[in-house]
Amino acid sequence: MPKSWTDSAPAPEILKEQAHLKDPLTYKLKKALLGKPLNRHLLSHQRLSKVFALGVLSSDCISSSAYGTENILYYLLPAFGMAGFSILMPMTFIVLAILVIVTLSYREVVMVYTKTGGSYVVARENFGPVVAQIAAVALMLDYIVTVAVQTAAGTSALTSAFSSLAPYTLEITLGVIALLLFGNLKGVKEAGRAFAAPTYLFVTSVVFVLIVGIWKQIHGTLAHVVTGAGSMPMGHSQQLLTAAAIFVLLRAFANGGSSLTGLEAISNGVSLFKAPEGRNARRTTVIMSTILGSLVLGVSWLAKETHAWPYATGTPTVISQIADVVFGRGVVGHILYLFVQFSTMLILYTGANTPFSGFPFLANFIAEDGFLPRQLTKRGHRLVFSNGIILLAIASSTLILVVGSNVAKLIAFYAIGVFTGFAMAGFGMAKRAITMKEAHWRKRFAINITSGTISLLIVIIFGVVKFTEGAWLIVLIFPVATMALIRLNRQYRTEQMALKIDEEKSRATSIARHDVAVLVDAVDVATVGAIRYARSLNPHTLTAVHFVIDDRHAQTIATDWAKNKALSDVPLELIDCPDRRLPNAAVDFAIRGTTNLDVELTLLFPRRSYSFFLGRILHDRTAESIASPISQLPRVVATIVPFDVEKIIAGKPLTRATTMPAPIAAKVPQAVAKLATPDIALSLPGPVSHYAEELLPIGNATWRQRAHVRGRVTSILTAPTGSAPGLDIEIWDETGGITLHFLGRRGIAGLNVGTTVCAEGMVGESGGHLTIMNPSYEIVV
C-alpha cells in the first residue's frame, strides 16, 4: 500500500462504524417495552429544593398516618371494647414521643452524611462493614415490606370508596406492583417533581377533614360511625395491669410503631438536595416529622370522637369512615369523601414507589462493598439498577401472595426492620459523637444513645408480641441473611486475594518458551482457521494433536492432513485414548508438555457453532468439557477458537459497513444543518491557513487541510510506560470519528471517555484514517 506522503497514496478516511450485529429477539422485546437504551453519559440526577424534596421523599413517611391509628385500634377495641378509644390518645402520644427522639437523631445523620446517608453508612463508618450488614438486612427487609404495605393500603383506600372492587383486592395490589416495576424499569425517577404532588394533595385533604371535624365537634354535630358486618369484635373493659392486658397493649403499641416508617427516607436521599445539602435535609426532616405527628394526632383524635372501627378485611379503612362521617352523605360531602380517598390512594401508591429508588441504590452500595452479588451494581437498559428493581418487585409480590393484601397482617413483618435501622443509626451516631468529641458532643451522644436504646427496645417488644403472627420469620431471616452476606463477602475477598498481583507475579509477564498445540477432530475449515491463528502467536513449537478413540477416524484424519498443503509444515501427533476420557488425556498431555518451568503451553480448541436447537441434539460440546480442567493447570492456557457453521449455511456472515451506517447517515444532514446556524457557520475545506475558525462536522474534515471539529471522546489510548509518551484520543460526532494524537503526553487533566472536546489543527493520516497531530483543544463543560 502506498504511503500517505506519496502522490499515489489513497486518501485516508474518517473513522466509521464497521460492523452491526443483529439484535436478538430478547433485546427487540426489551426495546419495544422499555424504549431505546439511554446513553450512559446522560446519567445525572436532579437537585431539589426543600419544597419539592419534602413532597418527593416524604410520601412513604407521611402516608403511614393513613393506617397508623387503625393498626392501634385493631388490638385495643377487641380487647377493651369502648374503653380502647380512651387508651388510644395516650398511646398515640407515646408514639409521637418516640417520633421526636428518632427525628432528633436523624437530624444528626443528615448533617454528617450528606452524600450517602442512611443507617447502613452510619453503621459501616462507625462499626465496620461486618456489623453494617445488620443495618443492610434491616433496610432491605424494610424496603420489601414497604412496597407490600403501601400498595395494600392504597388498594384498601380504593376498595373503601368502591366496595364492588373488594373481591379483586389481591389482583389490584399485584397489578400496581407490576406497574411500578414497569415504570421504574423505563426509568421513572423518584426525583421527578411530579411525585411531590400526591404528598401535598394528601396533607391538604386530611387537614381539611380535621378542620371540618373540629368545627362539627365544637358545634356538637359530629356523628359516630355506624359499624357493619365484618368489623372487629367489641371486647369488654378489663384491668390494664393484668398480664394479658399488658400483652395486648404492647401489641397495639407495636402496631402503632408503623406510623414511623419512612422516617429514614430523607437520610437516604440527602444528595438530592440543593446546597447546602445537610442543612436543607435537616430542616426538611423536621418539617416532615411535624406534619406526620400532626396528622397522626389528628386522625387518632377524630377516630376517638367518631368511634371509627377497624374491619378484619381492612376495608372500609378507619380514615375512610372518618371522612364519610365528617363530610356526610350529601352530594358535596360524597365528592369530598372521594377526594380524600383518591388522595390517600395516590400517596400510598406513590409511597410504594419510593423503595424502587432506594432499594436498588442500597443494593448497589452493598454490592460495591462486596456483600451482595456484583450483578446488582450494573445499570440496565434505561440507566437504572434493573436487577435490584426486579428483585424488589419479586420479593414484595411473593410477600403479598403468601400473606395477602391485608395491612394488619403485613404489619407483623414491618417494624422489626424499620426500628433495627433506627437503632443502628442511633448507636452509630452515638459512637461517632463520643469518638470525635466535637462541639456539644455530650448532647448529641445523649440524643442518639436514647434513640438507639428505645428503638432496640421496640424491636425486642415487637419480636416477642408479634412472634406468632409472622415476626418469627423476620427473627429467623435476620441472622441467616446477615451471615449469608458475610459469607458472600468472604468468598469475594478470597477470590480477590487469589488474583492479587504480588512482586513475583508482576515479574512473570514473559516466558522463555511458548508452545502451541491445536486439538483436532477433523480436517476442515475450522481446523485450518485454528492453525492460522496458532501461527500468529509465533510459537516455539506448533503441533496438531488428535486423541485416538476410533482407529478408522484417526486414519482418515492422518490421510487428509497429509494431503492438505496448507498444513504441511505442522506435524500431527496421534495419542491413544483407550478409555475415551478426553479431558484426562488432554490434562496428561498438557502436564507432560510443561515439565520444564520455562515453558508455557497454549491449547487451541476449534469449536464449531451450530443452530441453537438442532445443534444441541446433533453435536456435543467436547471443547468446553476439555477446556475446563485444562484452565486449572499452571502455565497452560486453554483457548477456544469459535467457528460459526450456521452462518455459513444461512449465507449470512457478519455484516461489515463499507459505507456510513444508515442511522448515522440519516443524522448527517441534521448535524450539518445544526452546525450551519448563524452562531456556528459551516465551513467547506479551503486553502491551508494557520487556524480554522469555523466548526466542521467530522465527516467533512479533509486530508491535508486544517479542521476545527467538535465531538465526544469515545476512546483513549495511552502509550506503554516503557516507551515514549503518547496519547491517541478518538472523538466522534453524528458524521464520523477522527483521532487526535498528542506527542509527549500520557494524559490530559479533565479529559475522560465521554467528555466533549473541540480540537483544531492540520488533518493528517495514520493507518489509513484521518488524524490531527498535537491539536489545540478546548474541553467543553
Side-chain angles (χ1 to χ4, degrees):
M1 178 178 177
K3 298 297 182 182
S4 62
W5 45 267
T6 63
D7 292 336
S8 60
E13 299 178 336
I14 63 168
L15 298 171
K16 301 175 183 177
E17 293 188 34
Q18 295 298 314
H20 304 281
L21 299 177
K22 182 181 179 181
D23 291 338
L25 178 61
T26 53
Y27 185 82
K28 291 180 179 178
L29 291 174
K30 184 191 295 185
K31 192 160 65 171
L33 288 172
L34 304 180
K36 295 181 180 179
L38 295 180
N39 190 308
R40 69 180 183 87
H41 300 296
L42 299 177
L43 185 63
S44 62
H45 65 262
Q46 182 180 0
R47 292 280 180 162
L48 301 177
S49 64
K50 294 190 290 294
V51 174
F52 284 110
L54 176 65
V56 170
L57 299 176
S58 66
S59 58
D60 176 20
C61 179
I62 292 177
S63 65
S64 61
S65 62
Y67 52 80
T69 298
E70 181 172 352
N71 288 318
I72 297 176
L73 293 173
Y74 191 85
Y75 283 103
L76 289 182
L77 298 181
F80 301 104
M82 297 301 293
F85 288 114
S86 300
I87 304 172
L88 174 61
M89 293 308 294
M91 188 160 290
T92 300
F93 282 117
I94 295 175
V95 172
L96 295 182
I98 297 172
L99 170 64
V100 171
I101 295 172
V102 175
T103 299
L104 291 175
S105 176
Y106 270 91
R107 285 176 77 252
E108 304 291 330
V109 172
V110 298
M111 281 297 293
V112 174
Y113 299 98
T114 58
K115 295 300 180 183
T116 310
S119 56
Y120 175 74
V121 176
V122 175
R124 191 192 67 174
E125 296 297 321
N126 294 284
F127 298 119
V130 175
V131 177
Q133 300 320 302
I134 299 174
V137 173
L139 285 172
M140 287 190 290
L141 290 175
D142 179 24
Y143 281 130
I144 292 170
V145 181
T146 294
V147 174
V149 171
Q150 294 285 110
T151 52
T155 303
S156 295
L158 177 63
T159 55
S160 295
F162 303 99
S163 56
S164 59
L165 297 176
Y168 309 103
T169 297
L170 180 63
E171 291 80 0
I172 293 172
T173 302
L174 293 175
V176 170
I177 294 177
L179 287 175
L180 292 174
L181 169 65
F182 176 70
N184 281 276
L185 287 178
K186 280 183 69 71
V188 173
K189 298 291 185 182
E190 184 188 15
R193 296 189 174 189
F195 282 94
T199 301
Y200 291 108
L201 197 66
F202 173 74
V203 172
T204 301
S205 65
V206 176
V207 168
F208 188 59
V209 171
L210 293 176
I211 292 173
V212 176
I214 293 172
W215 185 86
K216 284 193 172 184
Q217 177 66 14
I218 293 174
H219 291 80
T221 58
L222 185 62
H224 286 177
V225 171
V226 178
T227 58
S231 61
M232 296 296 291
M234 181 183 295
H236 303 284
S237 299
Q238 56 177 296
Q239 294 289 332
L240 294 179
L241 297 181
T242 63
I246 292 174
F247 190 78
V248 171
L249 290 173
L250 290 175
R251 274 189 168 182
F253 167 71
N255 263 22
S258 63
S259 300
L260 306 187
T261 57
L263 196 60
E264 78 288 348
I266 289 179
S267 69
N268 293 328
V270 180
S271 59
L272 290 174
F273 283 83
K274 292 181 178 180
E277 293 89 346
R279 185 180 302 172
N280 289 333
R282 182 176 62 179
R283 292 175 179 174
T284 306
T285 299
V286 173
I287 295 171
M288 178 184 71
S289 297
T290 303
I291 294 174
L292 173 63
S294 302
L295 295 183
V296 170
L297 182 62
V299 172
S300 292
W301 178 79
L302 278 177
K304 170 180 175 293
E305 297 299 327
T306 59
H307 292 178
W309 208 276
Y311 281 68
T313 59
T315 55
T317 61
V318 165
I319 196 169
S320 168
Q321 298 173 51
I322 292 173
D324 187 38
V325 168
V326 168
F327 293 132
R329 298 297 179 90
V331 175
V332 176
H334 187 65
I335 293 174
L336 292 174
Y337 165 78
L338 291 177
F339 172 71
V340 172
Q341 291 304 103
F342 173 75
S343 63
T344 303
M345 178 196 71
L346 206 58
I347 192 175
L348 287 166
Y349 285 156
T350 303
N353 184 70
T354 303
F356 279 95
S357 177
F359 180 90
F361 276 94
L362 173 68
N364 163 68
F365 203 64
I366 300 171
E368 286 181 345
D369 288 344
F371 289 89
L372 278 177
R374 299 293 189 198
Q375 291 88 333
L376 293 170
T377 64
K378 296 180 179 179
R379 292 186 181 270
H381 192 74
R382 303 286 291 180
L383 293 181
V384 295
F385 295 109
S386 303
N387 293 329
I389 291 172
I390 295 171
L391 177 62
L392 175 62
I394 292 174
S396 56
S397 297
T398 302
L399 183 60
I400 289 289
L401 287 171
V402 172
V403 179
S405 182
N406 188 304
V407 177
K409 293 180 180 179
L410 290 168
I411 287 297
F413 301 92
Y414 213 171
I416 289 183
V418 174
F419 281 94
T420 300
F422 292 168
M424 295 300 295
F427 290 137
M429 293 304 295
K431 183 177 184 296
R432 184 184 184 280
I434 202 171
T435 302
M436 304 297 292
K437 292 188 177 179
E438 298 171 339
H440 309 292
W441 69 269
R442 289 185 177 85
K443 182 183 71 173
R444 293 173 178 172
F445 174 79
I447 291 172
N448 288 291
I449 198 69
T450 303
S451 175
T453 303
I454 291 176
S455 299
L456 178 61
L457 182 62
I458 293 174
V459 170
I460 296 172
I461 292 173
F462 204 94
V464 172
V465 301
K466 289 283 190 177
F467 189 81
T468 58
E469 296 182 14
W472 65 270
L473 182 60
I474 302 298
V475 172
L476 177 65
I477 288 176
F478 245 101
V480 173
T482 303
M483 293 305 298
L485 296 186
I486 295 173
R487 177 66 184 84
L488 183 65
N489 177 257
R490 187 183 304 134
Q491 179 65 25
Y492 272 131
R493 285 189 285 109
T494 302
E495 293 170 355
Q496 290 171 355
M497 289 300 297
L499 296 173
K500 186 178 180 180
I501 299 177
D502 54 26
E503 185 176 352
E504 179 181 352
K505 292 177 181 177
S506 64
R507 290 198 303 265
T509 55
S510 61
I511 201 158
R513 174 174 165 175
H514 179 211
D515 294 339
V516 176
V518 181
L519 273 62
V520 300
D521 190 46
V523 181
D524 55 14
V525 178
T527 300
V528 173
I531 292 294
R532 183 169 60 249
Y533 172 67
R535 289 194 181 103
S536 70
L537 299 177
N538 296 320
H540 181 273
T541 302
L542 173 59
T543 309
V545 177
H546 173 70
F547 296 109
V548 181
I549 58 178
D550 185 318
D551 292 328
R552 303 178 89 181
H553 182 59
Q555 186 59 44
T556 301
I557 290 177
T559 302
D560 293 342
W561 195 273
K563 291 180 180 179
N564 196 314
K565 294 182 179 180
L567 307 175
S568 59
D569 61 330
V570 181
L572 173 65
E573 182 177 2
L574 302 178
I575 299 176
D576 188 23
C577 185
D579 58 0
R580 299 170 304 284
R581 299 172 66 187
L582 294 178
N584 281 11
V587 168
D588 183 64
F589 172 80
I591 292 174
R592 285 189 287 109
T594 55
T595 303
N596 295 330
L597 298 179
D598 62 343
V599 175
E600 181 169 311
L601 176 64
T602 296
L603 293 181
L604 300 182
F605 301 86
R607 185 184 67 183
R608 301 154 185 86
S609 301
Y610 303 92
S611 62
F612 182 78
F613 295 105
L614 286 178
R616 291 180 176 271
I617 297 173
L618 301 177
H619 305 278
D620 58 18
R621 302 176 69 85
T622 307
E624 286 82 355
S625 63
I626 299 176
S628 179
I630 288 291
S631 62
Q632 302 175 27
L633 299 174
R635 293 177 290 109
V636 179
V637 178
T639 303
I640 293 176
V641 183
F643 193 83
D644 199 332
V645 180
E646 185 64 21
K647 288 290 183 183
I648 297 177
I649 296 173
K652 297 178 180 178
L654 181 66
T655 303
R656 294 186 64 83
T658 55
T659 58
M660 190 178 299
I664 293 181
K667 293 179 180 178
V668 171
Q670 301 174 15
V672 173
K674 181 177 179 180
L675 290 168
T677 58
D679 296 330
I680 305 176
L682 177 63
S683 173
L684 296 176
V688 175
S689 65
H690 294 291
Y691 187 82
E693 291 284 352
E694 299 164 344
L695 279 174
L696 276 176
I698 291 177
N700 285 9
T702 304
W703 183 32
R704 297 173 177 172
Q705 298 284 343
R706 298 192 73 86
H708 189 188
V709 296
R710 171 175 171 155
R712 185 182 296 275
V713 177
T714 61
S715 171
I716 299 177
L717 175 63
T718 306
T721 55
S723 64
L727 193 65
D728 284 341
I729 297 173
E730 282 187 17
I731 64 171
W732 287 70
D733 64 8
E734 295 91 340
T735 64
I738 195 169
T739 301
L740 310 179
H741 184 69
F742 295 90
L743 294 173
R745 309 183 72 165
R746 296 193 185 278
I748 297 176
L751 198 148
N752 303 298
V753 172
T755 303
T756 299
V757 62
C758 288
E760 192 279 337
M762 179 64 71
V763 179
E765 178 270 346
S766 177
H769 295 101
L770 298 182
T771 302
I772 302 180
M773 185 77 70
N774 282 334
S776 58
Y777 67 91
E778 177 185 2
I779 297 174
V780 180
V781 180

